[in-house]
Structure formats: C-alpha cells, structure tokens
Amino acid sequence: MSEKKVAIVTGASRGIGKAIALRLAKDNFMVVINYNKSREDAEKVLESIKEIGGEGILFQGSVTDRDVMDGMVKEVVNQFGRIDLLVNNAGVLRPKYLMMTKLDEWEETIATNLTGPFYCIKSVLRSMIEQRSGRIINMSSVASLSGIPGQSSYAASKSGMNGMTRVLAKELSNYGILINSIAPGFIETDMTGDFPETALKEYKNSIPLKRFGHGEDVANLVSFLASEQASYITGQVIAVDGGLSA
Ligand code: NAP
C-alpha cells in the first residue's frame, strides 16, 4: 500500500496534463503518467517529477481502449493498493464545420473525449467505492459553455462530460466520491499551437483578462479540487478561462 495518495492523469505527456502531473507530484501524490503516442515527452515528465523529489510511473495506452484502461487501473491497484484521484485529461480537438465533418472524425472525438473517461471512471470506481473515498476531475472545455464555430464534435463530447459529471456527483455521493469538471478557455499548448495568427489575435481580444492561459492555471484548480479544502464541492463545471465565458 502506497503511503502517498495515488493519482492517475490521462494524457499527461504534454500540455495541460503535464502541468497537472507535475503539480500533483509537488502536492505529494504518486502520479501515474498515462500517454498514448508521445513516449519521449512522457519520460521527460517523469524525469522532471523525480528532479523535484516526487514519484511517478509511466503507463502507455489509449483511453479509447477499454481493456487497456482497465489493465492500467488493475496494475496501479496491484502496485500501490489504492487510487485516490483520476484526472480525465486526455483529449483531442479536430476543428471542422459540421457540414465537413466525417463520421470517423466525429467518432474519434467522442471516443477519446467522452467514452474514454467513461471507461476510466468505471475502472477506478471499484477501488474508490471499496475505499469509500475518491476524487474524479474531468477536463471539459469552454466549448461546452458557449458555441465555438468549427467545434461541434468537441463541444458535444465536452458537454456530455459535464452531464456525466453532474449525474455521477449524485450517484457517487454516498461513497465519499467527489467529481467535478474543469472548463479551460484558451490555454497555450500543442492543441492550440497551430491556430491561425488572425484567429489568435481575435481570441485574445475576446478574453477579459487579455491573455492566454497556461497549463499551470488549470493545474492550480486541479490541486485545489483534489485537496481536503474542496471537500464540499461536487458536480460542478468550473471555468478557468480569464473570464471568456462570463
Ligand atoms: P495537447 O497538448 O494536445 O495534449 C493532449 C494530451 O492528450 C497528450 O498528452 C496526448 O498524449 C493525450 N492523448 C490524446 N489522445 C489520447 C488517447 N487516445 N489516449 C491517451 N492519451 C491521449 O492538449 P491540451 O491542450 O494539453 O489538452 C488537454 C485537455 O484539456 C484536453 O482534454 C482538451 O480537450 C482540454 N482543453 C484544452 C484547451 C486548450 O486551450 N489547450 C482548452 C479547453 C480544454 P500523446 O501525445 O502521448 O498521444
């Protein structure tokens, strides 16, 4: 049994997930760094965690594969005896107007952003229900709060996630399990890295705080929601967006 609390962060090789993994390690969690394709990046995250005296392990696997996610959770429970926190962070954005969106593109987004979290949640619940405690944080998006042209599949996946969060808050409250969604606005990562210059300018002007966010801005809220200080918060969708959705 691990003496530290144990957190699984999906999609922790880059961007927001990387910032979350590092922050949780600083908060004294044993961090499971899940990644799919970016092995070298994930290894660097683990190195950075070790440099600050933290602990972590790597787990390669796509959130879209139910058996692989179940295997990840079983391995974590075998190795550490518990799971205290699941952060469903892995996600994809395939911007395209609905008229141009092909079925396989729609399905990839839903499979990664909505069905993946469903698999991961189902897998961790066995342990969390037995423990009578646990926290789940779903990485939603501002795209679930207001319509952004070209993001219909993405908005559908993230809105579905918010709905699942609200329902599960009620289904799981008797077991001491709290679940919330975070809705980031525009955060500087690879996901937003290839947006056209003119669109970037327009986005920045529309943000009341007049800056793009950083992974750490989101990780700060994850840290809080995972802490004892957040023990009366469940079923919420909380924006970290510089006021964009206000
Ligand atoms: P990113 O820089 O593109 O990183 C995406 C991460 O997800 C990578 O670690 C990637 O791992 C992982 N991933 C993708 N598909 C996966 C799969 N099938 N299985 C496991 N891991 C997978 O994205 P980000 O900006 O950090 O976004 C992280 C989360 O925040 C996403 O859910 C996104 O929708 C949400 N979000 C981001 C923004 C923003 O402005 N950046 C705004 C709102 C919400 P590999 O590289 O190893 O495949």
Side-chain angles (χ1 to χ4, degrees):
M1 175 76 86
S2 170
E3 284 184 6
K4 288 187 170 190
K5 285 191 170 182
V6 177
I8 296 176
V9 184
T10 65
S13 50
R14 299 183 282 119
I16 294 172
K18 173 183 172 179
I20 292 169
L22 286 166
R23 177 57 194 260
L24 291 174
K26 278 185 197 153
D27 291 348
N28 213 28
F29 277 86
M30 213 301 304
V31 186
V32 181
I33 302 157
N34 161 255
Y35 67 99
N36 189 26
K37 296 181 182 152
S38 309
R39 177 161 196 96
E40 278 184 20
D41 290 329
E43 281 168 352
K44 282 186 199 147
V45 175
L46 181 56
E47 267 170 41
S48 305
I49 283 179
K50 287 183 176 164
E51 273 166 23
I52 56 164
E55 283 178 68
I57 60 162
L58 298 174
F59 191 95
Q60 190 281 328
S62 174
V63 295
T64 61
D65 189 322
R66 183 165 89 178
D67 292 340
V68 170
M69 286 301 104
D70 214 37
M72 172 175 75
V73 169
K74 281 189 181 131
E75 196 177 309
V76 171
V77 174
N78 282 342
Q79 213 174 320
F80 304 107
R82 56 194 284 168
I83 297 180
D84 301 283
L85 171 66
L86 166 69
V87 184
N88 277 314
N89 169 76
V92 291
L93 168 66
R94 303 283 182 249
K96 232 178 209 185
Y97 287 127
L98 186 87
M99 283 292 287
M100 321 288 277
T101 302
K102 298 196 180 95
L103 179 61
D104 59 343
E105 293 165 333
W106 172 275
E107 286 179 343
E108 183 204 2
T109 305
I110 300 294
T112 311
N113 298 0
L114 184 58
T115 313
F118 162 73
Y119 293 151
C120 293
I121 290 170
K122 271 182 80 87
S123 296
V124 298
L125 280 185
R126 279 190 293 269
S127 295
M128 288 184 177
I129 286 174
E130 216 174 281
Q131 289 166 196
R132 291 289 193 275
S133 71
R135 301 277 168 99
I136 299 169
I137 298 171
N138 290 326
M139 204 52 64
S140 182
S141 168
V142 73
S144 70
L145 304 176
S146 53
I148 303 175
Q151 297 194 4
S152 52
S153 59
Y154 186 72
S157 68
K158 298 298 189 180
S159 302
M161 188 179 233
N162 294 351
M164 186 160 66
T165 298
R166 293 187 182 103
V167 171
L168 285 176
K170 294 181 179 173
E171 289 185 4
L172 300 175
S173 57
N174 286 343
Y175 303 103
I177 301 168
L178 311 184
I179 177 166
N180 291 287
S181 281
I182 296 178
F186 192 108
I187 310 296
E188 284 181 312
T189 67
D190 294 344
M191 185 175 274
T192 48
D194 56 2
F195 280 29
E197 201 55 45
T198 44
L200 287 180
K201 226 174 161 181
E202 221 174 281
Y203 276 136
K204 198 182 265 181
N205 277 334
S206 64
I207 300 169
L209 293 184
K210 295 285 180 271
R211 74 163 174 91
F212 295 136
H214 306 295
E216 290 73 18
D217 292 315
V218 180
N220 286 338
L221 181 56
V222 171
S223 170
F224 173 69
L225 289 174
S227 75
E228 276 317 301
Q229 287 169 305
S231 60
Y232 199 53
I233 303 174
T234 193
Q236 302 306 305
V237 179
I238 306 171
V240 179
D241 65 357
L244 188 60
S245 62

